[in-house]
Structure formats: structure tokens, C-alpha cells
Amino acid sequence: MRLKGKRAIVTGAGSGFGAGIARRFLAEGAQVLLADLNHDAALSVVEEAGGGVAFRADVSNAQDTDRMIAEAQEQFGGVDILVNNAGCTHLPAFMEDVNEEDFDRVWAVNCKSIYLGARTLVPIFKDQGAGTILNISSTAGLSPRPKLNWYNASKGWVNTATKAMAVELAPFGIRVNALNPVAGDTPLLASFMGEDTPEMRAKFLSTIPLGRFSTPEDMANAALYLCSDEASMVTGVCMEVDGGRCI
């Protein structure tokens, strides 16, 4: 029960890493709002986990973000943790061939959502003198793969934003960290690879020294530590959960 008494929002919690983090937080005693564009998916995780509140939200939309935070306050009486997990990518392509619509979507979901969440939640955290933000980044922001240029760049932005947020917010008792997972066996994997074939999986796996994709459980374990009081002296860290890919 390492998060007993904590109140958390996890975005993109209907599948993949977000679902794994939400399930673990619930198991460790937290109250969790599971936000996802796919409300049915979030509701399925709630039913499976036996707890939590499902909420439909487009985190790239300011009104949805404000409603999400207001809902958590209403349901739980406040917020202690925000996990910015929702993310998307464009299909592999040469950088000049990625269309503007896909670029805008990657920027809005991966980057603007963090700004929108902070704009509303940071004043609340400042008033209570405490709070934790965890941004889910990617090894793509540290060791870019070809033909994923604008996704790589968005995750590099997340890493820099995490450190900038951490140093500015530390005097107010607010911690900000990030996780950098390697490719995981989640719904986004096919988008990263372009096609989900045994050959393409083998190509990706060959770049990971530990020889496997990351899992929602791997991310949940790391997120649990960084969002718990055990990490009270840890801020501005972009932790690699990547099986050695970035070595």
C-alpha cells in the first residue's frame, strides 16, 4: 500500500502502459481517475481492477483537461499525482513525407497535453505545497530511430520540459520526473514499426540488449517508485526503462 491516501490521474489509462500504471496504483492503495479518449476501454480497466473512476477526455483539449482535473477533485477531494501517459505517433516515414495533420496530432497529444495539465494543476499543487507529475516519454527522445523524426522530437521535448518543470517547481514542493520506455508490446507498437510482422519485431528486439519489449508491468513498477514518497528526493529524472537500449 505504497500509495495509500494518494489521489491520482492517469491519462491514456484505457490500454498499454497507462492501464498497467493505473492497475498498480489502485493495488497500492491510490484513488485513481483513469482518463482516456476511449471511455469504454477505461471502463474495462476499472471493472477488471475493481476500482477507480473512468473518465473520457481528449488531453490535447483545454476544456477536457480542465474537466478531467475538476472531476478528480470532485471524486477524491483533491489530486496528488498526475501521470501524463497519453501519447501517439505517426507512421514511419521520411520526415518530409509526414503530413501536417499527423504532425499536429503528435505535438498536441505528446506535448501540448503536458502544458494544459500543468496550467490547471500546478496552481493547485502550489496551494497545497506538494504534488507529483510523471511524464511518460520514450527512448526515442534519447536515441532516435529513423523515419520517426517528429515523434522522436516530441519525446525530446518531453524530457527537456520535465527537467525545466522540475527545477522551477522544486521550491514549491512539487516533483516532476519522466520515464523513457523502449518499445512495448502495446497497441502503439504496430504504429512504431509500420507493420507488425515477426521480421519487424526481430529487428526492433535486436536493438534491446535484454532482448524483450517493455511491458505495462515494467512501467508500473517504475512509476510506482517515482510517484511514491520513497522518491521524495528524486526530481528532474528521465529514467530509462529500456533493457539497455540507450547504453
Side-chain angles (χ1 to χ4, degrees), residues 82 84 110-111 114-115 133-138 154-170 174-180 226 234-239:
L82 171 64
N84 288 308
N110 294 358
C111 305
I114 295 175
Y115 155 74
I133 298 172
L134 180 65
N135 299 321
I136 306 304
S137 185
S138 170
S154 74
K155 293 304 187 179
W157 183 95
V158 172
N159 290 335
T160 299
T162 296
K163 292 180 179 293
M165 294 168 73
V167 74
E168 180 173 326
L169 297 177
I174 303 166
R175 297 188 302 109
V176 186
N177 292 293
L179 293 179
N180 285 265
L226 289 175
V234 180
T235 196
V237 164
C238 296
M239 181 186 290

Side-chain angles (χ1 to χ4, degrees), residues 2 16 18 21 25 29 35 49 84 87-88 99 115 133 142 147 156 158 161 169 173 205 233 236:
R2 293 156 70 186
I21 292 169
F25 280 19
N84 288 308
C88 69
N99 64 49
Y115 155 74
I133 298 172
L142 300 169
K147 296 188 176 180
V158 172
L169 297 177
L205 284 172
M233 191 59 174

Side-chain angles (χ1 to χ4, degrees), residues 18 35 106 245:
V106 167
R245 179 179 181 271

Side-chain angles (χ1 to χ4, degrees), residues 37-233:
L37 192 58
N38 185 337
H39 183 261
D40 288 341
L43 193 59
S44 293
V45 178
V46 167
E47 291 170 351
E48 174 199 341
V53 176
F55 187 82
R56 186 196 180 282
D58 175 358
V59 293
S60 68
N61 178 276
Q63 289 73 31
D64 273 17
T65 299
D66 287 348
R67 288 193 307 106
M68 174 184 74
I69 293 169
E71 180 72 10
Q73 290 181 294
E74 182 177 338
Q75 292 281 344
F76 310 141
V79 181
D80 303 295
I81 299 166
L82 171 64
V83 179
N84 288 308
N85 168 76
C88 69
T89 186
H90 55 80
L91 291 174
F94 289 116
M95 65 177 74
E96 67 271 25
D97 293 332
V98 175
N99 64 49
E100 187 175 359
E101 182 181 0
D102 285 348
F103 174 88
D104 287 344
R105 180 169 172 265
V106 167
W107 168 259
V109 177
N110 294 358
C111 305
K112 185 181 179 182
S113 63
I114 295 175
Y115 155 74
L116 291 175
R119 186 178 67 171
T120 300
L121 195 54
V122 163
I124 296 169
F125 281 173
K126 284 183 176 180
D127 285 344
Q128 63 196 31
T132 300
I133 298 172
L134 180 65
N135 299 321
I136 306 304
S137 185
S138 170
T139 54
L142 300 169
S143 181
R145 294 182 188 270
K147 296 188 176 180
L148 287 170
N149 190 83
W150 307 118
Y151 173 76
N152 297 332
S154 74
K155 293 304 187 179
W157 183 95
V158 172
N159 290 335
T160 299
T162 296
K163 292 180 179 293
M165 294 168 73
V167 74
E168 180 173 326
L169 297 177
F172 301 95
I174 303 166
R175 297 188 302 109
V176 186
N177 292 293
L179 293 179
N180 285 265
V182 73
D185 198 354
T186 71
L188 270 183
L189 182 60
S191 297
F192 290 128
M193 297 190 299
E195 55 178 347
D196 192 351
T197 64
E199 294 77 18
M200 191 60 73
R201 282 184 174 240
K203 180 180 178 181
F204 266 65
L205 284 172
S206 70
T207 68
I208 305 171
L210 282 182
R212 68 173 178 84
F213 293 116
S214 57
T215 68
E217 291 72 28
D218 293 324
M219 295 296 290
N221 290 334
L224 172 62
Y225 167 67
L226 289 175
C227 292
S228 74
D229 291 339
E230 296 167 19
S232 61
M233 191 59 174

